[in-house]
Amino acid sequence: MKTLLFLSIVSPLFTSIIAGFYGYRLKKHIIGWISSGGVFLSFIFLLVLYIKKAFFEMNLFEWTNIPFKINILFLSDRLSILMGLIVACVSFIVHVYSIYYMEEDEGYFRFFSYLNLFVFSMLVLVLAGNLIVMFIGWEGVGLCSYLLIGFWYYKESASKAGVKAFVVNRIGDAGFLLGIFSILFACNTLEFNEIKNLLNTVDPQILIFAGIFLFIGAIGKSAQFPLYIWLPDAMEGPTPVSALIHAATMVTAGVYMVLRLSFLYSLIPEIGYFIALIGSLTAFYSALCAVKEDDLKRILAYSTISQLGYMFAGAGLSFYGKGFFHLITHAFFKALLFLTAGIIMHSLNGEINIKRMGGLLKKLKHTHLLFAIGALSLSAIPPFGSYFSKEGIIHESLNAGYLIYFILVLTSFLTSLYIFRAYFHVFQGHEKVKPHKEDKRLVYPSYILAFFAIISGFFNFRGHIDSIFGKTEIHLHIPFILSLLPLIFSIAGILSAWYFYDIRKEQEKGFIFELIENKFYFDKILSVYFVNVLFKISGYLEKFLELRTIDRIVNGAGKISLLTGKIGISLQRGSLRFYLKLLFAFISLLIFFFMFRYI
Amino acid sequence: MMGFYYFCGILLFINGILIMVLRKGFIYILIGIELSLNALSFLFFLASRSLGNPHGEIFAILLFGIAAAGIAIGLAILINLVKAKGTQDIEEFKDTGG
């Protein structure tokens, strides 16, 4: 069994090396299938582990024991193996999709090498047995994300977006490292199972710090409120990358980390409430951004941020099962939406602005069906998987009061509004660009994802996922009308998207869009009442503070450094012998000094 | 008797440094560096003998390697200097600023 776990982690790395070093000799499709095969193998191995319920710790080797012991430790339990299964499954489908999607790209083998390396790092992250190994995987996925966003490095915007993602993630990583240190300080160990047993004896003050710092790491990776800015730009990468990394797997790593450390977060519920608040506000805000956006992939990116907010809301309020459940369903339907966006882009020669699309309903029948399944899943309409998960989160959030509940309900209205706005623009109305025929080879892998998106609701059959976290959620008696509210809001969102979409003019009318277009008149109110006053105050400040005090200090500092510079210039003669003389003179001085001191 | 050898080594070292400081030719400076490095390895060797510890000898061998690498780079620089101005007098190269 241990060999199986080891092989499941290593096989994507192996195929990554094959694709990277020998890829240029092989035919394009062969590389693609080899890479997909590596991922498929790890999927099969993980499936065997999960079915046989082989749950254990695997200590690969001891990395160091100075000043504390760090093992390269992997942990197989229901959470990690299930997450690994989701990762491997979605990765495999996206791999098969990109065999044909990237067909005409020159960097074909480079792409598959990076993609496999990503799967390897993600599996290391997911199956890690201690925080250090998790951090290794964490950095690995960050690196692969950077490489794949900037995959078309000759496009300046792409390479800039890659750098942006990397730098923003560094901020989160700093928080994650601080969190690791505070856990180390508190428990003197980093292994999850040992931390779990030790936590009750630890000062809760330190735990609060650890919880906050680790959550900063999760914010960076999962693109939550202050650090969400990198994800919309990350859409510069190829579409399969957006589907796999920036929708289904990597961005959920932050949520996964909170779930992994659920024993820690359940001890500090006040931090948990804070997490849920950040999550729900992010969900609301980015849903608003998505309503305003015209770029199809960026709409999906904002929607990813919004759904991640839901997961954080679920996990923060210590309904870890619900958060994890939504993570799973989201992975399937969001990857599906991205893949269909890829097909649409392919058949429209890379057109991505939804205002310039239209009437694709007749030509792209399969794509239409797939996109509709994805969109209905995203809006959480009953037969689809995400209905159960999202509804679960929204219902359970009633336990923590009405604030988060209403934010989430309002967000579900906006969610179906923006996705169906995109749907109407893309598929209804007049045909503006004549599409190519859709590529059947791209459609089939997407159908597998659509299948999973529909049935993923059954994964939580009899609380299967809830029971991972050891406790069943408290079920409030919810009034009937409140339990129907999220669904009503979702359907209302769809209907209003249809109502506001004017078929003749092909653009939205109505007060909601006017409000959003003008950013809720926020700027105007701000500029009248706030900015003018500020300008006056700052005018006075400029006179007294800036010119008379700070400027003098600054100029003085400049003058001092000019003076010292003049002294320094006289030493800089350019004569080697002079330098040598100076060097030896000072060394002999030093030697004399020490001799007289010690003798 | 050991003291005499130490004295010789230090003398050699100071000799190398004096060559470096006082001569103007680039080759002389290289020779000075070599001389002082050799004096150093001699001292290391001496110390390892008198203390009965093999580390000094190992270090001396390492120093040979470093000296060889240093002289290779030095000669390459010398060739470029001569190509640039047709002389190896380092006082002529003050305008390089270093």
Side-chain angles (χ1 to χ4, degrees):
Chain A
M1 285 294 135
K2 292 194 174 180
T3 350
L4 275 190
L5 185 63
F6 179 70
L7 282 177
S8 71
I9 295 170
V10 172
S11 69
L13 178 66
F14 185 64
T15 46
S16 159
I17 290 169
I18 291 180
F21 288 110
Y22 304 104
Y24 62 94
R25 292 186 197 170
L26 300 170
K27 274 188 182 170
K28 281 187 169 179
H29 287 204
I30 294 176
I31 310 162
W33 282 112
I34 287 175
S35 311
S36 318
V39 180
F40 187 66
L41 273 183
S42 43
F43 174 70
I44 293 293
F45 293 149
L46 288 171
L47 196 64
V48 170
L49 285 176
Y50 192 71
I51 290 172
K52 290 208 168 179
K53 292 194 168 48
F55 302 133
F56 52 84
E57 274 188 337
M58 179 180 70
N59 191 354
L60 216 54
F61 57 88
E62 187 184 284
W63 189 17
T64 172
N65 54 12
I66 310 165
F68 41 85
K69 211 165 79 176
I70 297 174
N71 292 327
I72 299 297
L73 186 79
F74 291 102
L75 173 68
S76 143
D77 62 3
R78 277 181 62 196
L79 174 63
S80 62
I81 296 283
L82 194 55
M83 180 75 186
L85 269 177
I86 303 300
V87 169
C89 177
V90 177
S91 302
F92 174 65
I93 295 165
V94 173
H95 267 79
V96 173
Y97 176 89
S98 37
I99 292 173
Y100 304 113
Y101 188 84
M102 299 299 286
E103 208 168 35
E104 279 148 28
D105 202 280
E106 283 186 7
Y108 193 77
F109 66 89
R110 193 161 57 92
F111 178 80
F112 274 100
S113 179
Y114 290 165
L115 212 56
N116 266 341
L117 190 65
F118 166 76
V119 178
F120 164 71
S121 321
M122 192 68 201
L123 286 176
V124 169
L125 193 164
V126 167
L127 297 168
N130 62 27
L131 277 165
I132 287 290
V133 178
M134 193 178 209
F135 188 69
I136 293 170
W138 189 272
E139 291 300 311
V141 290
L143 169 72
C144 296
S145 157
Y146 161 73
L147 289 173
L148 284 166
I149 294 169
F151 180 71
W152 290 315
Y153 51 86
Y154 37 81
K155 261 166 62 184
E156 200 189 344
S157 56
S159 102
K160 271 186 181 167
V163 172
K164 187 176 181 183
F166 203 65
V167 170
V168 173
N169 266 311
R170 285 285 78 66
I171 301 170
D173 291 344
F176 191 29
L177 267 180
L178 285 175
I180 291 178
F181 293 148
S182 24
I183 292 245
L184 189 68
F185 180 68
C187 307
N188 210 21
T189 177
L190 290 172
E191 295 174 13
F192 293 127
N193 286 342
E194 288 182 25
I195 298 170
K196 199 175 188 173
N197 299 330
L198 281 172
L199 270 189
N200 292 323
T201 59
V202 174
D203 180 16
Q205 216 70 34
I206 300 172
L207 286 189
I208 286 179
F209 275 111
I212 291 177
F213 285 137
L214 288 170
F215 179 58
I216 291 174
I219 282 180
K221 187 109 316 193
S222 290
Q224 292 301 293
F225 171 56
L227 302 180
Y228 68 95
I229 40 173
W230 64 272
L231 192 57
D233 287 350
M235 296 301 128
E236 290 288 339
T239 312
V241 172
S242 311
L244 178 60
I245 300 185
H246 305 117
T249 51
M250 186 192 85
V251 287
T252 60
V255 184
Y256 176 75
M257 193 250 286
V258 173
L259 296 175
R260 182 85 270 179
L261 296 170
S262 58
F263 46 83
L264 181 132
Y265 281 101
S266 59
L267 288 182
I268 38 175
E270 58 275 34
I271 298 299
Y273 188 77
F274 170 69
I275 291 174
L277 205 60
I278 291 255
S280 49
L281 286 176
T282 311
F284 182 71
Y285 175 73
S286 52
L288 270 184
C289 291
V291 175
K292 220 183 108 211
E293 193 62 56
D294 282 340
D295 183 320
L296 181 57
K297 274 178 82 181
R298 285 171 79 95
I299 291 176
L300 294 178
Y302 278 119
S303 138
T304 305
I305 300 173
S306 169
Q307 298 300 310
L308 287 166
Y310 271 100
M311 293 172 212
F312 273 115
L317 296 175
S318 72
F319 309 119
Y320 304 107
K322 298 282 184 253
F324 190 44
F325 187 28
H326 195 55
L327 194 162
I328 293 171
T329 52
H330 171 257
F332 289 120
F333 71 74
K334 189 50 65 66
L336 170 67
L337 278 173
F338 268 111
L339 293 192
T340 41
I343 301 175
I344 292 168
M345 276 171 70
H346 240 215
S347 58
L348 294 181
N349 290 332
E351 181 58 64
I352 201 166
N353 191 329
I354 57 168
K355 289 253 166 94
R356 276 180 247 145
M357 300 177 187
L360 298 185
L361 179 61
K362 293 159 209 157
K363 285 278 170 60
L364 308 179
K365 277 184 183 133
H366 291 285
T367 317
H368 171 248
L369 180 62
L370 288 166
F371 194 91
I373 291 173
L376 285 172
S377 291
L378 181 58
S379 351
I381 302 300
F384 296 97
S386 74
Y387 167 72
F388 301 99
S389 55
K390 202 171 177 179
E391 215 75 340
I393 290 175
I394 296 179
H395 283 169
E396 302 284 357
S397 70
L398 263 178
N399 285 328
Y402 284 100
L403 176 62
I404 290 177
Y405 174 79
F406 277 118
I407 295 175
L408 292 182
V409 167
L410 213 56
T411 309
S412 70
F413 168 75
L414 287 173
T415 305
S416 37
L417 179 64
Y418 66 70
I419 196 65
F420 274 91
R421 169 175 174 266
Y423 167 81
F424 285 120
H425 270 293
V426 173
F427 289 104
Q428 309 288 342
H430 308 295
E431 207 170 83
K432 287 172 193 163
V433 189
K434 208 167 159 50
H436 303 298
K437 236 175 132 233
E438 58 191 343
D439 196 341
K440 283 279 157 53
R441 297 170 305 177
L442 299 181
V443 168
Y444 294 135
S446 318
Y447 266 119
I448 307 175
L449 273 180
F451 171 71
F452 277 119
I454 293 169
I455 65 150
S456 55
F458 293 105
F459 288 176
N460 200 13
F461 188 60
R462 286 193 187 160
H464 182 71
I465 291 169
D466 294 338
S467 65
I468 291 176
F469 299 93
K471 60 171 186 182
T472 48
E473 269 87 22
I474 330 132
H475 287 287
L476 282 180
H477 180 69
I478 304 168
F480 182 65
I481 184 72
L482 278 187
S483 71
L484 268 185
L485 209 55
L487 186 58
I488 292 170
F489 266 74
S490 295
I491 292 171
I494 298 174
L495 290 179
S496 49
W498 177 67
Y499 176 74
F500 288 130
Y501 175 76
D502 191 336
I503 285 190
R504 271 166 304 170
K505 287 182 187 168
E506 306 212 338
Q507 61 185 15
E508 293 84 5
K509 52 179 184 176
F511 71 100
I512 291 186
F513 289 96
E514 255 172 41
L515 271 181
I516 291 167
E517 204 64 46
N518 294 315
K519 293 176 186 163
F520 289 88
Y521 297 103
F522 211 60
D523 290 352
K524 276 183 189 170
I525 297 167
L526 271 182
S527 67
V528 171
Y529 294 104
F530 203 67
V531 177
N532 286 347
V533 180
L534 260 183
F535 268 125
K536 271 186 186 164
I537 295 174
S538 56
Y540 287 118
L541 279 180
E542 190 195 0
K543 256 185 198 167
F544 295 108
L545 202 68
E546 180 83 22
L547 290 179
R548 297 200 183 156
T549 5
I550 295 177
D551 272 11
R552 280 182 194 172
I553 296 171
V554 173
N555 288 340
K559 275 172 191 163
I560 289 170
S561 46
L562 270 181
L563 204 69
T564 45
K566 269 179 192 163
I567 298 170
I569 282 171
S570 66
L571 289 175
Q572 180 91 20
R573 289 184 188 175
S575 159
L576 195 58
R577 291 198 313 160
F578 176 69
Y579 295 147
L580 282 173
K581 276 175 198 165
L582 223 56
L583 179 71
F584 290 123
F586 273 101
I587 288 177
S588 7
L589 263 182
L590 267 180
I591 290 171
F592 275 116
F593 176 69
F594 279 110
M595 268 162 75
F596 284 115
R597 207 170 156 197
Y598 288 112
I599 293 171
Chain B
M1 201 52 198
M2 231 33 157
F4 173 68
Y5 288 127
Y6 275 114
F7 180 71
C8 281
I10 292 167
L11 208 63
L12 204 58
F13 182 73
I14 291 174
N15 201 0
I17 285 175
L18 284 180
I19 290 176
M20 260 191 268
V21 173
L22 297 179
R23 301 301 293 240
K24 283 182 181 176
F26 191 78
I27 290 184
Y28 283 109
I29 289 180
L30 285 183
I31 288 173
I33 292 171
E34 280 307 294
L35 207 57
S36 43
L37 272 176
N38 275 326
L40 263 183
S41 45
F42 177 66
L43 284 173
F44 268 118
F45 188 75
L46 213 60
S48 95
R49 264 303 159 87
S50 58
L51 298 175
N53 187 339
H55 289 173
E57 291 178 28
I58 295 168
F59 213 89
I61 291 170
L62 258 175
L63 269 181
F64 289 149
I66 291 168
I71 210 76
I73 294 169
L75 285 175
I77 293 173
L78 172 71
I79 288 171
N80 278 320
L81 288 183
V82 172
K83 266 186 192 167
K85 292 208 172 169
T87 172
Q88 52 141 340
D89 184 352
I90 52 164
E91 293 297 317
E92 296 288 314
F93 293 96
K94 274 183 180 176
D95 52 347
T96 54

